[in-house]
Coordinates of all heavy atoms in Angstrom, one line a residue:
A1 N 6.5 -10.8 -15.4 CA 7.0 -9.8 -14.5 C 6.5 -10.1 -13.1 O 7.3 -9.9 -12.1 CB 6.6 -8.4 -15.0
Q2 N 5.2 -10.5 -13.0 CA 4.6 -10.7 -11.7 C 5.4 -11.8 -11.0 O 5.6 -11.7 -9.7 CB 3.2 -11.0 -11.9 CG 2.4 -11.3 -10.5 CD 1.0 -11.8 -10.7 OE1 0.4 -11.4 -11.6 NE2 0.5 -12.3 -9.7
Q3 N 5.6 -12.9 -11.6 CA 6.4 -13.9 -10.9 C 7.8 -13.6 -10.5 O 8.2 -13.9 -9.4 CB 6.5 -15.2 -11.9 CG 5.2 -16.0 -12.1 CD 5.3 -17.1 -13.1 OE1 6.2 -17.2 -13.9 NE2 4.4 -18.0 -12.9
D4 N 8.5 -12.8 -11.3 CA 9.8 -12.3 -11.0 C 9.7 -11.3 -9.8 O 10.5 -11.5 -8.8 CB 10.4 -11.5 -12.2 CG 10.8 -12.5 -13.3 OD1 10.9 -13.8 -13.1 OD2 10.9 -12.0 -14.4
L5 N 8.7 -10.6 -9.7 CA 8.5 -9.6 -8.5 C 8.2 -10.4 -7.3 O 8.7 -10.0 -6.2 CB 7.6 -8.6 -8.9 CG 8.0 -7.5 -10.0 CD1 6.8 -6.7 -10.5 CD2 9.1 -6.6 -9.3
E6 N 7.3 -11.4 -7.4 CA 6.9 -12.1 -6.2 C 8.2 -12.9 -5.7 O 8.3 -13.0 -4.5 CB 5.8 -13.1 -6.5 CG 4.5 -12.3 -6.7 CD 3.3 -13.2 -7.1 OE1 3.5 -14.4 -7.5 OE2 2.2 -12.7 -7.1
R7 N 9.1 -13.4 -6.6 CA 10.3 -14.0 -6.2 C 11.2 -13.0 -5.5 O 11.8 -13.4 -4.5 CB 11.0 -14.6 -7.4 CG 12.2 -15.4 -7.1 CD 12.0 -16.7 -6.4 NE 13.2 -17.3 -6.2 CZ 13.6 -18.0 -5.0 NH1 12.7 -18.0 -4.1 NH2 14.8 -18.5 -5.0
A8 N 11.3 -11.8 -6.1 CA 12.1 -10.8 -5.5 C 11.6 -10.5 -4.0 O 12.4 -10.2 -3.1 CB 12.0 -9.4 -6.2
V9 N 10.4 -10.4 -3.8 CA 9.8 -10.2 -2.5 C 10.1 -11.3 -1.5 O 10.4 -11.1 -0.4 CB 8.3 -10.0 -2.6 CG1 7.5 -10.2 -1.3 CG2 8.0 -8.6 -3.3
Q10 N 10.1 -12.5 -2.0 CA 10.5 -13.7 -1.2 C 12.0 -13.6 -0.8 O 12.3 -13.9 0.3 CB 10.2 -15.0 -2.0 CG 8.7 -15.4 -2.1 CD 8.5 -16.6 -3.0 OE1 9.4 -17.1 -3.7 NE2 7.4 -17.1 -3.0
L11 N 12.8 -13.2 -1.8 CA 14.2 -13.2 -1.5 C 14.6 -12.1 -0.6 O 15.6 -12.1 0.2 CB 14.9 -13.0 -2.8 CG 15.0 -14.2 -3.8 CD1 15.6 -14.0 -5.1 CD2 15.7 -15.5 -3.1
N12 N 13.9 -10.9 -0.7 CA 14.2 -9.7 0.2 C 12.9 -9.2 0.6 O 12.4 -8.1 0.0 CB 15.0 -8.7 -0.6 CG 15.5 -7.6 0.3 OD1 15.2 -7.6 1.5 ND2 16.3 -6.7 -0.3
P13 N 12.2 -9.8 1.6 CA 10.9 -9.4 2.1 C 10.7 -7.9 2.6 O 9.6 -7.5 2.9 CB 10.5 -10.4 3.0 CG 11.7 -11.0 3.6 CD 12.7 -10.9 2.4
K14 N 11.9 -7.2 2.8 CA 11.7 -5.9 3.4 C 12.1 -4.8 2.3 O 12.3 -3.6 2.6 CB 12.7 -5.7 4.6 CG 12.2 -6.5 5.8 CD 13.0 -6.2 6.9 CE 12.6 -6.8 8.2 NZ 13.2 -6.5 9.4
H15 N 12.1 -5.2 1.0 CA 12.5 -4.3 -0.1 C 11.3 -3.6 -0.6 O 10.5 -4.2 -1.4 CB 13.3 -5.0 -1.1 CG 13.9 -4.2 -2.3 ND1 13.3 -4.0 -3.4 CD2 14.9 -3.3 -2.1 CE1 14.1 -3.1 -4.1 NE2 15.0 -2.7 -3.3
F16 N 11.1 -2.4 -0.1 CA 9.9 -1.6 -0.4 C 9.6 -1.5 -2.0 O 8.5 -1.6 -2.4 CB 10.0 -0.2 0.2 CG 9.0 0.8 -0.1 CD1 7.7 0.6 0.4 CD2 9.1 1.8 -1.0 CE1 6.7 1.4 0.1 CE2 8.2 2.6 -1.4 CZ 6.9 2.4 -0.8
E17 N 10.7 -1.2 -2.7 CA 10.5 -0.9 -4.1 C 10.0 -2.2 -4.9 O 9.2 -2.0 -5.9 CB 11.7 -0.4 -4.8 CG 12.1 1.1 -4.4 CD 11.0 2.0 -4.7 OE1 10.3 1.9 -5.7 OE2 10.8 3.0 -3.8
S18 N 10.3 -3.4 -4.4 CA 9.8 -4.6 -5.0 C 8.3 -4.7 -4.9 O 7.5 -5.0 -5.7 CB 10.5 -5.8 -4.4 OG 11.8 -5.9 -4.7
Y19 N 7.9 -4.3 -3.6 CA 6.5 -4.4 -3.4 C 5.7 -3.2 -4.2 O 4.7 -3.5 -4.6 CB 6.2 -4.1 -1.8 CG 6.4 -5.2 -1.0 CD1 7.7 -5.5 -0.5 CD2 5.4 -6.2 -0.7 CE1 8.0 -6.6 0.4 CE2 5.6 -7.2 0.1 CZ 7.0 -7.5 0.7 OH 7.2 -8.6 1.4
R20 N 6.3 -2.0 -4.3 CA 5.7 -1.0 -5.0 C 5.5 -1.4 -6.5 O 4.6 -1.1 -7.1 CB 6.4 0.3 -4.9 CG 5.7 1.4 -5.5 CD 6.0 2.8 -5.2 NE 7.2 3.3 -4.7 CZ 7.4 4.4 -4.2 NH1 6.4 5.2 -3.9 NH2 8.6 4.8 -3.8
T21 N 6.6 -2.0 -7.1 CA 6.5 -2.5 -8.5 C 5.5 -3.6 -8.6 O 4.7 -3.5 -9.6 CB 7.9 -2.9 -8.9 OG1 8.8 -1.8 -8.7 CG2 7.9 -3.2 -10.4
L22 N 5.4 -4.5 -7.7 CA 4.5 -5.6 -7.8 C 3.1 -5.0 -7.6 O 2.1 -5.4 -8.4 CB 4.7 -6.6 -6.6 CG 3.8 -7.8 -6.6 CD1 3.8 -8.6 -7.8 CD2 4.2 -8.6 -5.4
D23 N 2.9 -4.0 -6.8 CA 1.6 -3.3 -6.7 C 1.2 -2.7 -8.0 O 0.1 -2.9 -8.5 CB 1.9 -2.1 -5.7 CG 0.7 -1.2 -5.6 OD1 -0.1 -0.9 -6.5 OD2 0.4 -0.7 -4.4
W24 N 2.1 -2.1 -8.7 CA 1.8 -1.5 -10.0 C 1.3 -2.6 -11.0 O 0.3 -2.5 -11.8 CB 3.1 -0.7 -10.5 CG 2.8 -0.1 -11.9 CD1 2.2 1.1 -12.0 CD2 3.1 -0.6 -13.1 NE1 2.1 1.4 -13.4 CE2 2.7 0.5 -14.1 CE3 3.7 -1.7 -13.6 CZ2 2.8 0.2 -15.5 CZ3 3.8 -1.8 -15.0 CH2 3.5 -0.9 -15.9
V25 N 2.1 -3.7 -11.1 CA 1.8 -4.9 -12.0 C 0.3 -5.4 -11.7 O -0.5 -5.6 -12.6 CB 2.8 -5.9 -11.9 CG1 2.4 -7.2 -12.7 CG2 4.1 -5.4 -12.6
L26 N 0.2 -5.7 -10.4 CA -1.2 -6.2 -10.0 C -2.3 -5.2 -10.2 O -3.4 -5.7 -10.5 CB -1.1 -6.7 -8.6 CG -0.2 -7.9 -8.2 CD1 -0.1 -8.1 -6.8 CD2 -0.7 -9.2 -8.9
A27 N -2.0 -4.0 -9.9 CA -3.1 -3.0 -10.1 C -3.5 -2.8 -11.5 O -4.7 -2.6 -11.9 CB -2.6 -1.6 -9.6
K28 N -2.6 -3.0 -12.5 CA -2.9 -3.0 -13.9 C -3.9 -4.1 -14.3 O -4.6 -4.0 -15.3 CB -1.6 -3.1 -14.7 CG -0.8 -1.9 -14.7 CD -1.4 -0.8 -15.6 CE -0.5 0.4 -15.7 NZ -1.2 1.5 -16.4
Q29 N -3.9 -5.2 -13.4 CA -4.8 -6.3 -13.7 C -6.0 -6.2 -12.9 O -6.8 -7.1 -12.9 CB -4.0 -7.6 -13.4 CG -2.7 -7.8 -14.2 CD -2.0 -9.0 -13.6 OE1 -2.5 -10.1 -13.5 NE2 -0.6 -8.8 -13.4
G30 N -6.1 -5.2 -12.0 CA -7.3 -5.0 -11.2 C -7.3 -6.0 -10.0 O -8.4 -6.2 -9.5
K31 N -6.1 -6.5 -9.6 CA -6.1 -7.5 -8.6 C -5.9 -6.8 -7.2 O -4.9 -6.9 -6.5 CB -5.0 -8.5 -8.9 CG -5.2 -9.3 -10.1 CD -4.1 -10.3 -10.3 CE -4.4 -11.3 -11.5 NZ -3.4 -12.2 -11.7
W32 N -6.8 -6.0 -6.8 CA -6.7 -5.1 -5.6 C -6.5 -6.0 -4.4 O -5.7 -5.5 -3.5 CB -7.9 -4.2 -5.5 CG -8.1 -3.3 -6.7 CD1 -9.2 -3.4 -7.6 CD2 -7.2 -2.4 -7.2 NE1 -9.0 -2.5 -8.6 CE2 -7.8 -1.9 -8.4 CE3 -6.0 -1.9 -6.8 CZ2 -7.2 -0.8 -9.2 CZ3 -5.3 -0.9 -7.6 CH2 -6.0 -0.4 -8.7
D33 N -7.2 -7.1 -4.3 CA -7.1 -7.9 -3.0 C -5.7 -8.5 -2.9 O -5.1 -8.5 -1.8 CB -8.1 -9.0 -3.0 CG -9.5 -8.5 -2.8 OD1 -9.6 -7.5 -2.2 OD2 -10.4 -9.2 -3.2
S34 N -5.0 -8.8 -4.0 CA -3.7 -9.3 -4.0 C -2.7 -8.2 -3.6 O -1.7 -8.4 -2.9 CB -3.3 -9.9 -5.4 OG -4.0 -11.0 -5.6
V35 N -3.0 -7.0 -4.1 CA -2.1 -5.9 -3.7 C -2.2 -5.6 -2.2 O -1.1 -5.5 -1.6 CB -2.5 -4.6 -4.5 CG1 -1.7 -3.3 -4.0 CG2 -2.3 -4.8 -6.0
V36 N -3.4 -5.6 -1.7 CA -3.6 -5.5 -0.2 C -2.8 -6.5 0.6 O -2.2 -6.2 1.6 CB -5.1 -5.4 0.2 CG1 -5.2 -5.4 1.7 CG2 -5.7 -4.1 -0.4
E37 N -3.0 -7.7 0.1 CA -2.3 -8.8 0.7 C -0.8 -8.7 0.8 O -0.1 -8.9 1.9 CB -2.6 -10.2 0.0 CG -2.4 -11.4 0.8 CD -3.0 -12.6 -0.1 OE1 -4.1 -12.6 -0.3 OE2 -2.1 -13.4 -0.5
H38 N -0.2 -8.3 -0.3 CA 1.3 -8.0 -0.3 C 1.7 -6.9 0.6 O 2.7 -7.0 1.3 CB 1.7 -7.7 -1.8 CG 1.8 -9.0 -2.6 ND1 2.8 -9.9 -2.4 CD2 1.0 -9.4 -3.5 CE1 2.6 -10.9 -3.2 NE2 1.5 -10.6 -4.0
W39 N 0.9 -5.8 0.6 CA 1.2 -4.6 1.5 C 1.0 -5.1 2.9 O 1.9 -4.7 3.8 CB 0.3 -3.5 1.3 CG 0.8 -2.7 0.1 CD1 0.2 -2.4 -1.1 CD2 2.2 -2.2 -0.2 NE1 0.9 -1.7 -2.0 CE2 2.2 -1.6 -1.5 CE3 3.3 -2.2 0.6 CZ2 3.3 -1.0 -2.0 CZ3 4.5 -1.5 0.1 CH2 4.5 -1.0 -1.2
N40 N 0.1 -5.9 3.3 CA -0.1 -6.5 4.6 C 1.2 -7.3 5.0 O 1.6 -7.2 6.2 CB -1.3 -7.4 4.7 CG -2.6 -6.6 4.7 OD1 -2.6 -5.4 4.9 ND2 -3.7 -7.3 4.4
Q41 N 1.7 -8.1 4.1 CA 3.0 -8.8 4.5 C 4.1 -7.9 4.8 O 4.8 -8.1 5.7 CB 3.3 -9.7 3.1 CG 2.6 -10.9 2.9 CD 3.0 -11.6 1.6 OE1 3.2 -10.9 0.6 NE2 3.1 -12.9 1.7
F42 N 4.2 -6.9 3.9 CA 5.3 -5.9 4.1 C 5.2 -5.2 5.4 O 6.1 -5.1 6.2 CB 5.4 -4.9 3.0 CG 6.4 -3.9 3.1 CD1 7.7 -4.2 2.8 CD2 6.3 -2.7 3.7 CE1 8.8 -3.3 2.9 CE2 7.3 -1.7 3.8 CZ 8.6 -2.1 3.4
L43 N 4.0 -4.7 5.8 CA 3.7 -4.0 6.9 C 3.8 -4.9 8.2 O 4.2 -4.3 9.4 CB 2.3 -3.3 6.9 CG 2.3 -2.1 6.0 CD1 0.9 -1.7 5.7 CD2 3.1 -0.9 6.6
A44 N 3.6 -6.1 8.1 CA 3.9 -7.0 9.2 C 5.3 -7.0 9.6 O 5.7 -7.1 10.8 CB 3.4 -8.4 8.8
L45 N 6.2 -6.9 8.6 CA 7.6 -6.8 8.8 C 8.2 -5.4 9.2 O 9.2 -5.3 9.8 CB 8.4 -7.4 7.6 CG 8.1 -8.8 7.1 CD1 8.7 -9.2 5.8 CD2 8.6 -9.8 8.2
E46 N 7.5 -4.4 8.5 CA 7.9 -3.0 8.7 C 6.7 -2.2 9.2 O 6.2 -1.3 8.4 CB 8.4 -2.5 7.4 CG 9.7 -3.1 6.9 CD 11.0 -2.7 7.6 OE1 11.0 -1.6 8.2 OE2 11.9 -3.6 7.6
P47 N 6.3 -2.3 10.4 CA 5.0 -1.7 10.9 C 5.0 -0.2 11.0 O 4.0 0.5 11.1 CB 4.7 -2.3 12.2 CG 6.1 -2.7 12.6 CD 6.9 -3.1 11.4
N48 N 6.2 0.5 10.8 CA 6.3 1.9 10.9 C 6.8 2.5 9.6 O 7.4 3.7 9.5 CB 7.3 2.3 12.0 CG 6.7 2.0 13.3 OD1 5.6 2.2 13.6 ND2 7.5 1.3 14.2
H49 N 6.4 1.9 8.5 CA 6.9 2.4 7.2 C 5.8 3.2 6.5 O 4.7 2.7 6.0 CB 7.2 1.2 6.2 CG 8.0 1.5 5.1 ND1 7.5 2.3 4.0 CD2 9.3 1.3 4.8 CE1 8.5 2.5 3.1 NE2 9.6 1.8 3.5
A50 N 5.8 4.6 6.7 CA 4.9 5.5 6.3 C 4.4 5.3 4.8 O 3.2 5.3 4.5 CB 5.3 6.9 6.6
K51 N 5.4 5.2 4.0 CA 5.1 5.1 2.5 C 4.2 3.8 2.2 O 3.4 3.8 1.3 CB 6.3 5.2 1.7 CG 6.9 6.6 1.6 CD 8.0 6.6 0.6 CE 8.7 7.9 0.6 NZ 8.0 8.9 0.0
A52 N 4.5 2.8 2.9 CA 3.7 1.6 2.7 C 2.3 1.7 3.1 O 1.4 1.2 2.4 CB 4.4 0.4 3.5
Y53 N 2.0 2.4 4.2 CA 0.7 2.7 4.6 C 0.0 3.5 3.5 O -1.2 3.4 3.2 CB 0.6 3.4 5.9 CG 0.7 2.4 7.1 CD1 1.9 2.4 7.7 CD2 -0.3 1.6 7.5 CE1 2.1 1.6 8.8 CE2 -0.1 0.8 8.5 CZ 1.0 0.7 9.2 OH 1.2 -0.1 10.3
L54 N 0.7 4.5 2.9 CA 0.2 5.4 1.9 C -0.2 4.5 0.7 O -1.2 4.8 0.1 CB 1.3 6.5 1.5 CG 0.8 7.6 0.5 CD1 -0.4 8.3 1.1 CD2 1.9 8.5 0.3
E55 N 0.7 3.7 0.3 CA 0.5 2.8 -0.9 C -0.7 1.9 -0.7 O -1.6 1.7 -1.6 CB 1.7 1.9 -1.1 CG 2.9 2.7 -1.7 CD 2.7 3.3 -3.1 OE1 1.9 2.9 -3.8 OE2 3.4 4.4 -3.3
R56 N -0.8 1.2 0.5 CA -1.9 0.4 0.7 C -3.3 1.2 0.8 O -4.3 0.8 0.4 CB -1.7 -0.4 2.1 CG -2.9 -1.4 2.3 CD -2.7 -2.2 3.6 NE -2.9 -1.4 4.7 CZ -2.8 -1.9 6.0 NH1 -2.5 -3.1 6.2 NH2 -3.0 -1.1 7.1
G57 N -3.1 2.3 1.4 CA -4.3 3.2 1.4 C -4.8 3.6 0.0 O -6.1 3.7 -0.2
G58 N -3.9 3.8 -1.0 CA -4.2 4.0 -2.3 C -5.0 2.9 -2.9 O -5.9 3.0 -3.7
T59 N -4.5 1.7 -2.5 CA -5.2 0.5 -3.0 C -6.7 0.4 -2.4 O -7.5 0.0 -3.2 CB -4.4 -0.8 -2.6 OG1 -3.1 -0.7 -3.1 CG2 -5.1 -2.1 -3.2
Y60 N -6.8 0.6 -1.2 CA -8.1 0.7 -0.6 C -9.0 1.8 -1.4 O -10.2 1.5 -1.6 CB -8.1 1.0 0.8 CG -7.7 -0.2 1.7 CD1 -6.7 0.0 2.7 CD2 -8.3 -1.5 1.6 CE1 -6.4 -1.2 3.5 CE2 -8.0 -2.5 2.4 CZ -7.0 -2.3 3.4 OH -6.6 -3.4 4.2
Y61 N -8.4 2.8 -1.7 CA -9.1 3.9 -2.4 C -9.6 3.3 -3.7 O -10.8 3.5 -4.0 CB -8.3 5.1 -2.6 CG -9.0 6.2 -3.4 CD1 -9.7 7.1 -2.8 CD2 -8.7 6.3 -4.7 CE1 -10.4 8.1 -3.5 CE2 -9.4 7.3 -5.5 CZ -10.2 8.2 -4.8 OH -10.8 9.2 -5.5
H62 N -8.9 2.7 -4.4 CA -9.2 2.1 -5.8 C -10.2 1.0 -5.6 O -11.1 0.8 -6.5 CB -7.9 1.7 -6.5 CG -7.1 2.7 -7.0 ND1 -7.5 3.6 -8.1 CD2 -5.8 3.1 -6.6 CE1 -6.5 4.5 -8.2 NE2 -5.5 4.2 -7.4
K63 N -10.2 0.3 -4.5 CA -11.2 -0.7 -4.2 C -12.6 -0.2 -3.8 O -13.6 -0.8 -3.8 CB -10.8 -1.6 -3.1 CG -9.7 -2.6 -3.5 CD -9.4 -3.5 -2.3 CE -10.6 -4.3 -1.8 NZ -10.5 -5.5 -1.1
G64 N -12.6 1.2 -3.5 CA -13.8 1.9 -3.1 C -13.9 1.8 -1.5 O -15.0 2.2 -1.1
D65 N -13.0 1.5 -0.8 CA -13.0 1.4 0.6 C -12.5 2.7 1.2 O -11.2 2.7 1.6 CB -12.3 0.1 1.1 CG -12.5 -0.2 2.6 OD1 -12.9 0.9 3.4 OD2 -12.3 -1.3 3.1
L66 N -13.2 3.7 1.3 CA -12.7 5.0 1.7 C -12.3 5.1 3.2 O -11.4 5.8 3.5 CB -13.7 6.2 1.3 CG -14.0 6.3 -0.2 CD1 -14.9 7.5 -0.4 CD2 -12.8 6.4 -1.1
K67 N -13.0 4.3 3.9 CA -12.8 4.3 5.4 C -11.3 3.8 5.6 O -10.5 4.4 6.4 CB -13.8 3.5 6.1 CG -13.6 3.4 7.6 CD -14.7 2.6 8.3 CE -14.6 2.6 9.8 NZ -13.4 1.7 10.3
R68 N -10.9 2.6 5.0 CA -9.7 2.1 5.2 C -8.5 3.0 4.5 O -7.4 3.1 5.0 CB -9.6 0.6 4.7 CG -10.3 -0.4 5.6 CD -10.0 -1.7 5.3 NE -10.5 -2.6 6.2 CZ -10.8 -3.9 6.0 NH1 -10.8 -4.4 4.7 NH2 -11.3 -4.7 7.0
A69 N -8.9 3.6 3.4 CA -8.0 4.4 2.7 C -7.6 5.7 3.7 O -6.4 6.0 3.8 CB -8.6 4.9 1.4
F70 N -8.7 6.1 4.3 CA -8.5 7.3 5.2 C -7.7 6.8 6.4 O -6.7 7.5 6.8 CB -9.9 7.8 5.7 CG -9.8 8.7 6.9 CD1 -9.3 10.0 6.8 CD2 -10.2 8.2 8.2 CE1 -9.1 10.8 7.9 CE2 -10.0 9.1 9.3 CZ -9.6 10.4 9.1
E71 N -7.9 5.6 7.0 CA -7.1 5.1 8.1 C -5.7 5.0 7.8 O -4.8 5.3 8.6 CB -7.7 3.8 8.6 CG -9.1 4.0 9.3 CD -9.8 2.7 9.5 OE1 -9.3 1.6 9.1 OE2 -10.9 2.7 10.2
D72 N -5.4 4.4 6.6 CA -4.0 4.3 6.2 C -3.4 5.6 5.9 O -2.1 5.9 6.3 CB -3.9 3.4 5.0 CG -3.9 1.8 5.4 OD1 -3.8 1.5 6.6 OD2 -3.8 1.1 4.5
A73 N -4.0 6.5 5.3 CA -3.5 7.9 5.1 C -3.2 8.5 6.4 O -2.1 9.3 6.6 CB -4.5 8.7 4.3
Q74 N -4.1 8.4 7.3 CA -3.9 9.0 8.6 C -2.7 8.3 9.4 O -1.9 9.2 9.9 CB -5.2 8.7 9.5 CG -5.3 9.7 10.7 CD -6.7 9.5 11.3 OE1 -7.3 8.4 11.3 NE2 -7.3 10.6 11.7
K75 N -2.6 7.1 9.3 CA -1.4 6.5 9.9 C -0.1 6.9 9.3 O 0.9 7.2 9.9 CB -1.5 5.0 9.8 CG -0.3 4.1 10.3 CD -0.2 4.2 11.8 CE 0.8 3.2 12.3 NZ 0.8 3.2 13.8
A76 N -0.1 7.0 7.9 CA 1.1 7.4 7.2 C 1.4 8.8 7.6 O 2.7 9.3 7.8 CB 0.9 7.3 5.7
C77 N 0.5 9.7 7.8 CA 0.7 11.0 8.2 C 1.2 11.1 9.6 O 2.3 11.9 9.8 CB -0.7 11.9 8.1 SG -0.5 13.6 8.7
Q78 N 0.7 10.3 10.4 CA 1.3 10.3 11.9 C 2.7 9.8 11.8 O 3.5 10.2 12.7 CB 0.4 9.3 12.7 CG -0.9 9.8 13.0 CD -1.8 8.7 13.6 OE1 -1.4 7.6 13.7 NE2 -3.0 9.1 13.9
L79 N 3.1 9.0 10.8 CA 4.5 8.5 10.7 C 5.4 9.4 9.9 O 6.5 9.2 9.7 CB 4.5 7.1 10.1 CG 3.9 6.0 11.0 CD1 3.8 4.7 10.1 CD2 4.7 5.7 12.1
G80 N 4.8 10.6 9.6 CA 5.6 11.7 9.0 C 5.6 11.8 7.4 O 6.4 12.7 6.9
E81 N 4.6 11.1 6.8 CA 4.5 11.3 5.3 C 3.6 12.4 5.0 O 2.4 12.3 5.1 CB 4.1 10.0 4.8 CG 4.0 9.8 3.3 CD 5.2 10.0 2.6 OE1 6.3 9.5 3.1 OE2 5.3 10.7 1.5
Q82 N 4.2 13.5 4.6 CA 3.4 14.8 4.4 C 2.4 14.6 3.3 O 1.3 15.1 3.5 CB 4.4 15.9 4.1 CG 5.2 16.4 5.2 CD 4.4 16.7 6.4 OE1 3.4 17.5 6.4 NE2 4.7 16.1 7.6
E83 N 2.7 13.9 2.3 CA 1.6 13.7 1.2 C 0.4 13.1 1.8 O -0.8 13.4 1.4 CB 2.3 12.9 0.1 CG 1.3 12.5 -1.1 CD 1.8 11.5 -2.1 OE1 3.0 11.4 -2.1 OE2 1.0 11.1 -2.9
A84 N 0.6 12.2 2.7 CA -0.5 11.4 3.3 C -1.4 12.4 4.1 O -2.6 12.1 4.3 CB 0.0 10.3 4.3
C85 N -0.8 13.4 4.8 CA -1.6 14.4 5.5 C -2.7 15.1 4.6 O -3.9 15.1 5.0 CB -0.7 15.4 6.2 SG 0.5 14.6 7.3
A86 N -2.3 15.4 3.5 CA -3.2 16.1 2.6 C -4.3 15.1 2.1 O -5.5 15.4 2.0 CB -2.5 16.7 1.4
R87 N -3.9 14.0 1.8 CA -4.8 12.9 1.3 C -5.7 12.5 2.4 O -7.0 12.3 2.2 CB -4.0 11.6 0.9 CG -4.8 10.6 0.1 CD -4.1 9.5 -0.4 NE -3.2 9.9 -1.4 CZ -2.2 9.1 -2.1 NH1 -2.3 7.8 -1.8 NH2 -1.5 9.6 -3.0
S88 N -5.2 12.4 3.7 CA -6.1 12.2 4.8 C -7.2 13.2 4.9 O -8.4 12.8 5.2 CB -5.3 12.1 6.1 OG -6.1 12.0 7.2
E89 N -6.9 14.5 4.8 CA -7.8 15.5 5.0 C -8.9 15.5 3.9 O -10.1 15.6 4.0 CB -7.2 16.9 5.0 CG -6.5 17.2 6.3 CD -7.5 17.2 7.5 OE1 -8.6 17.8 7.3 OE2 -7.2 16.5 8.4
S90 N -8.5 15.1 2.6 CA -9.3 15.0 1.5 C -10.3 13.8 1.7 O -11.6 14.0 1.4 CB -8.5 14.8 0.2 OG -9.4 14.6 -0.9
L91 N -9.8 12.7 2.2 CA -10.6 11.5 2.4 C -11.7 11.8 3.5 O -12.8 11.3 3.5 CB -9.8 10.3 2.6 CG -9.1 9.7 1.4 CD1 -8.0 8.8 1.8 CD2 -10.1 9.0 0.5
K92 N -11.2 12.4 4.6 CA -12.0 12.8 5.7 C -13.4 13.4 5.3 O -14.4 13.1 5.9 CB -11.2 13.6 6.6 CG -12.0 13.9 8.0 CD -11.1 14.7 8.9 CE -11.6 14.9 10.3 NZ -10.7 15.7 11.1
Q93 N -13.2 14.3 4.3 CA -14.4 15.0 3.8 C -15.4 14.2 3.0 O -16.5 14.5 2.8 CB -14.0 16.2 3.1 CG -13.3 17.2 3.9 CD -12.6 18.4 3.1 OE1 -12.9 18.5 1.9 NE2 -11.8 19.1 3.7
R94 N -14.8 13.0 2.6 CA -15.6 12.1 1.6 C -16.4 10.9 2.3 O -17.1 10.3 1.8 CB -14.7 11.6 0.5 CG -14.2 12.8 -0.3 CD -13.4 12.3 -1.5 NE -14.3 11.6 -2.4 CZ -13.8 10.7 -3.3 NH1 -12.5 10.7 -3.5 NH2 -14.6 10.0 -4.1
I95 N -15.9 10.7 3.6 CA -16.5 9.6 4.3 C -17.5 10.0 5.4 O -17.5 11.1 5.7 CB -15.4 8.6 4.9 CG1 -14.5 9.3 5.8 CG2 -14.6 7.9 3.9 CD1 -13.6 8.5 6.6

């Protein structure tokens, strides 16, 4: 599945759902750095995609990097993702 998803990302590098599914597959394997790398690729192409910041922030959270998780949640909130606003406030109290 991972290879198929990586191929899907190559064929359509702006397809958010491909990245989200690839995130899920890699997260199941604990490959957090790979997940971040893929979100970085996507955000380089779509720098104002709020849900992508929220997803990458979740990855940072699972890695234990609360500062970066907070920064991504804050950015997603600024871009209009309401779920990220609540997450940002929660993280703010923990860092």
Side-chain angles (χ1 to χ4, degrees):
Q2 181 181 335
Q3 288 177 337
D4 291 341
L5 289 165
E6 287 177 349
R7 180 74 177 137
V9 164
Q10 288 175 345
L11 293 172
N12 188 354
K14 291 186 175 185
H15 189 254
F16 174 77
E17 289 303 324
S18 293
Y19 284 88
R20 187 162 25 198
T21 306
L22 181 57
D23 174 322
W24 184 82
V25 168
L26 293 170
K28 288 287 187 189
Q29 301 171 51
K31 295 182 178 178
W32 303 117
D33 291 333
S34 294
V35 176
V36 169
E37 197 175 298
H38 284 287
W39 284 122
N40 288 344
Q41 285 177 318
F42 181 81
L43 286 165
L45 299 171
E46 296 285 338
N48 294 313
H49 199 290
K51 287 188 185 289
Y53 282 102
L54 186 60
E55 293 291 337
R56 186 178 70 178
T59 304
Y60 283 131
Y61 178 84
H62 288 293
K63 283 183 59 153
D65 190 339
L66 299 183
K67 182 178 183 285
R68 284 190 172 152
F70 169 71
E71 290 169 355
D72 275 356
Q74 201 171 36
K75 178 71 173 179
C77 178
Q78 290 168 357
L79 291 170
E81 183 63 36
Q82 291 305 308
E83 178 185 345
C85 298
R87 191 175 295 177
S88 173
E89 283 303 311
S90 174
L91 286 165
K92 185 177 183 179
Q93 295 172 12
R94 296 183 65 194
I95 55 174

